Amino acid sequence: MKILIINGPNLNLLGKREKSIYGKSSFEEYYSSLKNEFSDIEFEYYQSNVEGELINKLHEVGFNYEAIIMNAGAYTHTSIGIGDAIAGIETPAIEVHISNVYAREEYRHQSLMAKNCIGVIAGMGLNSYRLAILHFLSFLK
Ligand code: DQA
């Protein structure tokens, strides 16, 4: 199974950025623990701070990967383009967030991509990504 994990803007700063909200671990550290735990899965990781690059990546893999796990960061709440890209591809996507966006500012309560995803996982820390993998493992069996 090929799974793409996509992180959007500012998620390259995990481990340095607002640690009380996002934790102390960098994504790279966490990603290597995921690869160890799920050694049968072929993972790709992509991060960009640029909206159009995130859309290009969705188009690139969206017809040949089995699963996409996407944390679009702030673009979750603003990007019609990312929502449309997920609607336009065939690969199912799960939206994830590290923090509980519903317990935060009101502008974080809206997602312009959620309706085109198979589901949303938020507020479980970095474990949100792992829970999305577990879902794909049972869903794609
Ligand atoms: C986030 C939540 C977003 O509102 C925020 O803009 C982020 C991170 C999360 O993972 O909790 O950058 O997607």
Side-chain angles (χ1 to χ4, degrees):
M1 186 193 302
K2 277 186 175 173
I3 299 186
L4 171 68
I5 298 177
I6 308 185
N7 274 340
N10 301 308
L11 292 162
N12 52 313
L13 295 181
L14 286 179
K16 297 184 184 138
R17 163 193 192 204
E18 297 177 280
K19 291 183 200 160
S20 59
I21 301 175
Y22 299 114
K24 291 183 190 148
S25 169
S26 70
F27 195 78
E28 287 68 21
E29 279 163 7
Y30 179 68
Y31 182 53
S32 54
S33 75
L34 283 180
K35 285 194 291 189
N36 283 339
E37 182 176 352
F38 300 99
S39 50
D40 292 344
I41 296 178
E42 207 180 311
F43 285 106
E44 181 182 342
Y45 172 55
Y46 182 76
Q47 191 278 329
S48 174
N49 295 318
V50 180
E51 185 177 10
E53 288 180 1
L54 296 167
I55 293 171
N56 284 342
K57 192 68 188 177
L58 288 166
H59 293 177
E60 184 191 312
V61 305
F63 296 89
N64 43 58
Y65 275 46
E66 276 80 36
I68 295 171
I69 295 168
M70 183 162 193
N71 184 347
Y75 288 143
T76 306
H77 318 299
T78 61
S79 177
I80 296 171
I82 289 175
D84 283 353
I86 292 171
I89 60 176
E90 284 169 2
T91 304
I94 296 180
E95 172 183 329
V96 298
H97 298 285
I98 297 164
S99 65
N100 179 358
V101 284
Y102 300 101
R104 300 182 64 194
E105 298 92 337
E106 210 171 321
Y107 58 81
R108 295 185 204 275
H109 299 180
Q110 161 174 274
S111 166
L112 298 182
M113 55 188 277
K115 81 176 181 62
N116 300 321
C117 292
I118 59 170
V120 179
I121 300 172
M124 307 297 168
L126 285 171
N127 200 38
S128 293
Y129 295 85
R130 186 174 168 275
L131 294 172
I133 295 167
L134 290 174
H135 178 74
F136 273 127
L137 282 175
S138 48
F139 170 81
L140 294 170
K141 246 191 236 162

